[in-house]
Amino acid sequence: MFPAKVTKPTFKCYLPPAQVCTAITFGFTLVFLLIYLSLGEIVVNEVNFVRKCISTENNQEGLWGKLICTNFKVSFIPQDTSPKQKSTLSHLLLGEHDIPLTCLEQVVTVNDTKGKKKVLGSNQKLKFNPTELILYCKDLRMIRFCFEEAGPESARKVCLAIAHYSHPADLQLLFGFEYQGRRYHESKVNGSTPRGLQTPIFDRSSDWDREIKRTNASEWRVCSINQSYTVSSSLPEHIVVPSSLTDQDLMQYASSFTDRRIPMWCWSHSNGSALVRMASLTDPLQLKKTEQKIFAAITKSHPQRNEPFRSDLDKSLPSILDIQSAFVKLRQICILDPFEESEERWLSTIENSRWLEYVRAFLKHSAEMVYHLEGGNSSVILQEEEDRDLNCVVSALMQLMLDPRYRSLIGFQSLVQKEWVMAGHRFLDRCNHLKKNDKEESPLFLLFLDCVWQIMNQYPAAFEFTETYLTVLSDSMWIPLFSTFLFSSSKQRAQHLMDFAKHKAIPQGEDQVVYFPPVWEWSQQFSTKDQTLFNNPMYVGKGAACVQNGEVKTFKRKKAYSSTLRGTPTNLRNGVKGGEESLTRRSSLANELKSELTPVKDLSPSERFFKDWFSRPADLQGLLIPLLMPSHMAFWKLFFLRWVPEACISKGGPVTTYHKLSQLVDEIEILQSQLRQYKGTSPGNTPLTSSGGNPTDQRRMYFQASSPDDPSTPPECLTSSFPFTPTGNLSRRTVQGTPISKFLNGARIWLSTETLANDTV
C-alpha cells in the first residue's frame, strides 16, 4: 500500500518520503495522521474532528480523528494511534478502522437536534446537516460517527460520498478492477511473477480430468460442448457427463432444461455411485422422454446398474427468501437489539429467527442423500429449478461428509471453486454488490459455511482449517478485489475480465488468474504469519506421525467409508473391524435411537445405516455424519458475536484451547526437526541442536512453543473474539459481564428480578 498524495504541509516534515502525512490540530496539539492507500486508490472526501462512538450511553466516550471516503473504503484515522495489539489478524489492505464500500449494508444519517433520520442511497440529496453517521455492515459490524465538532458542510459531503461510492452503477466501477490492473503492471515492472495457485480453478478440462481419476469415475468423461458458452450461459465451459451420452445427445437434451443447464457430475463414490446435479425440465412435451434418457445414462454409469435416486430440493428445503428472512432477523438480534436481561429470552429469540432450524434442515437433507449414495449404493441426482442455489449447498455438504480430501484446506477451496463458483452460483446477485435488487439477496454461502462449522464443531480433528479461516472467507465476499465472489457465472466473469484486460492494456492470452486472481491467493490479504491462523493443530491428516526406535514414521490410513465399498473387507466399517470391541460414542443419540426406534427389526434401512454408523468410533479420514438433533445445533459465536463488546470474554473462549494446542504442536514439530537433523549427521559429527527448530516464517502454528527458561503466559489479546477485536465497534452497555456474556463463558446463571434490577445498565 502507498500513502495518499496530499497537499504539501507548510512545516518541514522529517518523516521518510514514503510516509507523507496530514496534520490536524486538536486543541493546541498538532497531530500527524498517516493515510495509507492501495494501488489505484484515491481520496474522494474527508472530514476532520470526527468522533467514532464506542458506546451509546456515554456520549463523551469515543475515538477522535479523521473520517475519509476513498474509491475503495471508508477509513477512520484516530488521533491517538495506540499501538496495535499483538497476535491479532492484520489485513494487508485494510486498517483496523477501515470498511470496504461493498461491505456497507446501509448508510444512515441523523440530525439529533431536528429529529431527522435518512437512509442514503446513490445520487440522493441530503437536506439537513448530519450530526451522526451510522454504518450498518454486511459483516455484522455497526459503526457510528458523530460530527459535533466537525464542519457541517464537510460532514454532509463525506456522508453523500460514502453513500454514492457504496452504490456503484456498474460492476466495472468496483475498486478491484482498478487495483488489480495497477498490481499486474507493477508486478511486470518489478519483474515479479505471481506464484502458481495450488487450488484448482476448474476452468480447464485438465482440472476435471484429475478429479475423475482421483475418484475413479471411469464411466464419466469431460465434455466441452459449452466452449465459448454456446450451450448455456451459466454452466462452465467444461463439465463432466456420462460416457454413454454423445455431445450430439447433450445438445439435443439441453433445450429441455432451465437455462439449458444439462446435468453435471459432481463426485463419484468408490462403490460406483455418482452425485449429479441438474436444473428442472421446462419442456412438458419432452419432459418424460428426456428424463428417461438422462436417468438411463446415469444408471448405465453405475457398476451394478442401480437406478439413481432423485431429490427435488425446491420441495424439500427452505427457499432463498426464507433464508434471507431468517438472516435479517438474526442480524437484528445480534447487532441492533441490546442483549436481553435474561439469557433464556435471548436464546429463544435466536431460535425464533429459524436460522439454526434452516442450518439443521440442510445438514439433515445432505446426510439423507449421503445414505442413498453410500448405504443405498445408488447414484443421487439433486434437482433444483435453476441448479444454482440450493444445489450448491447440498452437493458441497455431501462431498464434505463423504470425502476427506475436501476437509483439507486446498481440498475445501477446490470444493467451493467447483460447486459454487464454476457451477454458476449467482454471487453478484446473492451478495447484492451493486445494491440494485434486494429481493435477489440471500446469504446462501454464509449458510453453507455455518453448516461446515457445525460439522467442524462436532469433529474438530477432521478439518485442516479453523473457524477463523471460515470467518475470513466469509468476510472476503465483501472485499471486491478477487474474482471468486464478484460474478454470477463463468461467462460473466470471462466477459468482464476480457473487457478489463483490453482497458488495462493486458496482453491477449494472459491467464485471468494472473491479472485478476481468486480469493485463494491469500498472500494478497494476509502475511505468511497470519495465514497460520488457518491451520488446525488438532487435524488428523492422511498420516499420523510417531517416533519408533528413534525414527519418525508415518502410518497412512486407508479410505474405509463403509462395508458397501468395492475392495473393502466386509468386516470393516468406518475404519473399525466389525468383530472387534469398540466403545460406543454419541450415547445421547444412541439412547434416543434405542428408545424411539426399537425393536431393531422395525428399523428402516436408512435408520439402521445411521444407527450402525453412530455405534462405532468415527474414522476422521472416512465418512462423517453430524449429529442432527435440534440440541446439537450450536450458535456460531465467533462469526455472529465477534464485534459485540458485551459478548467478548477476556482470556476466554475456544482460543485458549487453540493457544495451548498450537504451542504443543509447534514444540512437537521442533523436536521432530531436531531428530531428523540428528539422524542426518555422520557418526563422527556432532548432531545439530537448534532450540528454535524451524525458522519462524516456516512454522505452521501461529502460537509457537516457548523455551523452558521462559514459560509462556497467555497473551493479553486472547478473547472469545480472537483474532478479531470488537474495540471501536458500537457498544450498547458500558459494563462488561452481562448475563449473556456469562452464558458464553460456559456458566448458566439464572438471575432473579432483584439481581437484574441491581445490574448496571
Side-chain angles (χ1 to χ4, degrees):
M1 298 192 300
F2 294 89
K5 295 181 180 179
V6 296
T7 308
K8 213 172 187 178
T10 55
F11 55 89
K12 185 175 180 180
C13 180
Y14 292 94
L15 293 172
Q19 293 185 352
V20 181
C21 63
T22 59
I24 59 176
T25 304
F26 285 90
F28 296 99
T29 305
L30 192 64
V31 180
F32 303 94
L33 303 181
L34 290 172
I35 307 171
Y36 289 100
L37 302 177
S38 300
L39 291 168
E41 188 177 6
I42 58 173
V43 173
V44 176
N45 220 308
E46 60 185 46
V47 56
N48 292 317
F49 312 113
V50 176
R51 180 166 59 88
K52 182 179 182 180
C53 305
I54 57 175
S55 172
T56 58
E57 297 173 358
N58 184 350
N59 289 331
Q60 300 306 313
E61 189 175 359
L63 302 171
W64 288 90
K66 172 182 281 192
L67 182 63
I68 300 170
C69 175
T70 75
N71 57 339
F72 171 39
K73 63 181 184 280
V74 176
S75 186
F76 179 75
I77 314 295
Q79 168 195 352
D80 298 320
T81 54
S82 56
K84 192 157 187 174
Q85 287 182 314
K86 293 181 181 179
S87 299
T88 56
L89 195 63
S90 179
H91 202 283
L92 297 178
L93 301 175
L94 294 167
E96 184 181 358
H97 300 278
D98 292 350
I99 311 162
L101 292 169
T102 44
C103 189
L104 295 179
E105 180 73 28
Q106 276 191 343
V107 179
V108 180
T109 51
V110 180
N111 187 304
D112 283 335
T113 57
K114 296 183 180 180
K116 293 184 177 181
K117 180 179 178 180
K118 184 173 183 179
V119 179
L120 289 179
S122 181
N123 298 321
Q124 287 189 343
K125 294 182 179 180
L126 187 58
K127 296 182 180 179
F128 59 85
N129 291 325
T131 58
E132 292 181 10
L133 170 67
I134 304 175
L135 302 178
Y136 298 101
C137 305
K138 293 184 177 182
D139 63 0
L140 305 186
R141 280 183 288 178
M142 180 172 63
I143 314 293
R144 178 168 164 248
F145 300 100
C146 291
F147 302 122
E148 60 259 36
E149 300 296 332
E153 185 63 21
S154 298
R156 189 175 68 86
K157 286 182 178 179
V158 81
C159 290
L160 289 171
I162 292 171
H164 176 74
Y165 280 87
S166 64
H167 290 74
D170 185 75
L171 186 61
Q172 293 277 352
L173 295 177
L174 290 175
F175 177 68
F177 289 90
E178 182 64 29
Y179 170 77
Q180 295 295 0
R182 295 285 189 94
R183 185 195 63 84
Y184 171 81
H185 285 294
E186 182 162 290
S187 67
K188 292 297 182 183
V189 171
N190 295 336
S192 61
T193 55
R195 60 180 182 180
L197 279 176
Q198 291 181 300
T199 302
I201 302 300
F202 292 97
D203 59 347
R204 54 192 66 181
S205 60
S206 57
D207 290 339
W208 292 100
D209 271 323
R210 276 191 294 270
E211 195 69 4
I212 288 175
K213 291 176 182 176
R214 187 184 72 84
T215 58
N216 195 27
S218 57
E219 298 297 322
W220 298 79
R221 67 179 179 89
V222 180
C223 169
S224 301
I225 61 170
N226 200 37
Q227 199 96 37
S228 302
Y229 309 99
T230 54
V231 175
S232 174
S233 60
S234 60
L235 281 177
E237 289 188 289
H238 310 283
I239 60 174
V240 177
V241 299
S243 299
S244 60
L245 291 178
T246 65
D247 288 357
Q248 187 176 358
D249 292 333
L250 295 168
M251 291 285 287
Q252 180 183 346
Y253 301 153
S255 59
S256 301
F257 292 93
T258 302
D259 196 26
R260 298 175 60 84
R261 288 179 66 95
I262 51 182
M264 183 169 63
W265 173 90
C266 303
W267 184 81
S268 279
H269 196 287
S270 52
N271 65 11
S273 302
L275 175 61
V276 182
R277 54 189 291 175
M278 74 178 194
S280 296
L281 290 154
T282 56
D283 188 348
L285 297 177
Q286 297 292 326
L287 179 63
K288 195 167 185 180
K289 185 178 178 182
T290 302
E291 187 177 86
Q292 286 176 345
K293 291 182 178 179
I294 294 292
F295 278 44
I298 296 173
T299 300
K300 192 175 180 180
S301 69
H302 195 285
Q304 282 80 46
R305 301 297 189 264
N306 293 344
E307 291 187 4
F309 179 87
R310 176 173 56 179
S311 175
D312 189 338
L313 301 191
D314 289 320
K315 296 178 181 178
S316 308
L317 291 169
S319 68
I320 61 171
L321 294 178
D322 293 333
I323 295 167
Q324 173 67 1
S325 175
F327 178 71
V328 169
K329 292 175 185 176
L330 186 62
R331 182 172 56 195
Q332 174 84 15
I333 296 165
C334 295
I335 303 178
L336 304 181
D337 293 342
F339 285 133
E340 297 291 346
E341 305 294 353
S342 163
E343 65 184 45
E344 182 183 12
R345 184 175 174 185
W346 188 84
L347 291 171
S348 67
T349 57
I350 294 289
E351 182 181 3
N352 292 336
S353 72
R354 306 190 73 181
W355 176 262
L356 287 176
E357 177 187 332
Y358 294 158
V359 168
R360 177 174 176 261
F362 276 89
L363 285 169
K364 185 173 183 291
H365 194 82
S366 300
E368 289 170 353
M369 295 305 102
V370 164
Y371 157 71
H372 289 289
L373 198 72
E374 167 145 341
N377 198 12
S378 299
S379 294
V380 172
I381 300 173
L382 302 177
Q383 191 165 18
E384 182 194 7
E385 183 178 358
E386 291 187 349
D387 181 33
R388 302 174 70 180
D389 291 309
L390 308 183
N391 271 2
C392 297
V393 182
V394 176
S395 64
L397 286 176
M398 288 179 64
Q399 292 171 70
L400 196 72
M401 295 177 192
L402 286 159
D403 194 338
R405 155 72 177 169
Y406 295 129
R407 301 194 284 267
S408 67
L409 181 63
I410 298 299
F412 182 77
Q413 292 179 170
S414 70
L415 178 67
V416 172
Q417 188 69 32
K418 177 168 67 84
E419 296 300 326
W420 288 84
V421 180
M422 299 310 292
H425 179 65
R426 297 195 291 171
F427 279 109
L428 181 62
D429 300 322
R430 299 295 178 246
C431 296
N432 201 13
H433 288 315
L434 303 183
K435 300 178 176 65
K436 288 185 176 180
N437 191 348
D438 293 343
K439 293 181 180 179
E440 294 289 332
E441 188 173 357
S442 186
L444 281 159
F445 190 67
L446 174 60
L447 179 89
F448 165 69
L449 294 181
D450 200 335
C451 291
V452 174
W453 179 82
Q454 299 290 338
I455 307 174
M456 179 190 296
N457 190 46
Q458 295 183 23
Y459 303 100
F463 292 83
E464 186 180 17
F465 47 89
T466 61
E467 63 173 326
T468 295
Y469 168 80
L470 294 179
T471 307
V472 166
L473 181 58
S474 175
D475 290 346
S476 298
M477 284 194 292
W478 318 119
I479 303 176
L481 304 180
F482 312 100
S483 62
T484 309
F485 302 121
L486 281 187
F487 307 100
S488 291
S489 67
S490 298
K491 181 179 180 180
Q492 187 185 54
R493 179 182 301 101
Q495 288 177 337
H496 278 282
L497 295 189
M498 190 181 300
D499 295 341
F500 162 75
K502 290 179 181 178
H503 181 67
K504 296 297 181 182
I506 295 173
Q508 189 175 4
E510 181 71 273
D511 190 351
Q512 292 179 352
V513 173
V514 172
Y515 63 79
F516 212 114
V519 72
W520 319 126
E521 197 170 308
W522 292 109
S523 59
Q524 288 203 31
Q525 295 191 66
F526 303 104
S527 66
T528 303
K529 168 71 173 175
D530 281 349
Q531 288 179 59
T532 58
L533 284 168
F534 299 168
N535 298 333
N536 178 13
M538 293 186 289
Y539 176 58
V540 179
K542 290 182 179 179
C546 74
V547 178
Q548 192 176 77
N549 298 326
E551 296 183 4
V552 178
K553 292 186 176 182
T554 300
F555 299 96
K556 294 187 177 180
R557 301 177 180 222
K558 296 180 180 179
K559 289 185 179 179
Y561 296 111
S562 78
S563 60
T564 61
L565 302 189
R566 291 178 297 171
T568 304
T570 56
N571 63 338
L572 280 180
R573 181 163 295 186
N574 293 325
V576 178
K577 290 185 179 180
E580 296 179 354
E581 292 292 327
S582 61
L583 294 175
T584 303
R585 65 184 177 87
R586 305 298 186 261
S587 59
S588 60
L589 181 62
N591 292 334
E592 288 166 3
L593 286 170
K594 283 180 181 178
S595 61
E596 295 179 11
L597 302 176
T598 54
V600 177
K601 62 181 179 180
D602 294 331
L603 293 177
S604 68
S606 62
E607 289 169 338
R608 192 175 296 110
F609 171 81
F610 289 120
K611 185 177 186 296
D612 180 69
W613 191 87
F614 279 107
S615 69
R616 301 180 183 277
D619 176 11
L620 300 183
Q621 283 295 299
L623 172 66
L624 285 186
I625 301 174
L627 294 163
L628 295 170
M629 298 296 289
S631 58
H632 295 134
M633 295 296 103
F635 187 60
W636 190 6
K637 295 186 286 288
L638 179 65
F639 179 83
F640 290 106
L641 298 179
R642 57 187 158 142
W643 309 121
V644 182
E646 296 89 342
C648 184
I649 309 164
S650 178
K651 297 183 180 179
V655 69
T656 54
T657 304
Y658 178 80
H659 171 247
K660 291 297 183 185
L661 284 171
S662 297
Q663 288 186 315
L664 180 61
V665 169
D666 187 59
E667 186 173 357
I668 291 171
E669 291 179 348
I670 289 174
L671 293 173
Q672 288 177 338
S673 176
Q674 292 175 347
L675 184 60
R676 284 192 295 269
Q677 292 173 355
Y678 180 87
K679 289 192 63 183
T681 59
S682 60
N685 294 335
T686 304
L688 291 171
T689 56
S690 172
S691 59
N694 297 329
T696 301
D697 59 351
Q698 294 179 6
R699 286 156 77 169
R700 291 192 313 112
M701 293 296 109
Y702 186 83
F703 296 109
Q704 297 174 358
S706 56
S707 64
D709 301 329
D710 182 26
S712 67
T713 56
E716 291 295 325
C717 67
L718 288 191
T719 69
S720 56
S721 295
F722 181 88
F724 310 95
T725 172
T727 304
N729 291 289
L730 195 59
S731 171
R732 293 172 293 282
R733 285 180 183 266
T734 56
V735 177
Q736 301 286 328
T738 62
I740 188 65
S741 70
K742 293 174 185 176
F743 163 75
L744 293 172
N745 203 21
R748 292 183 175 273
I749 302 174
W750 299 96
L751 301 178
S752 65
T753 307
E754 181 181 356
T755 307
L756 290 172
N758 294 331
D759 193 18
T760 305
V761 178

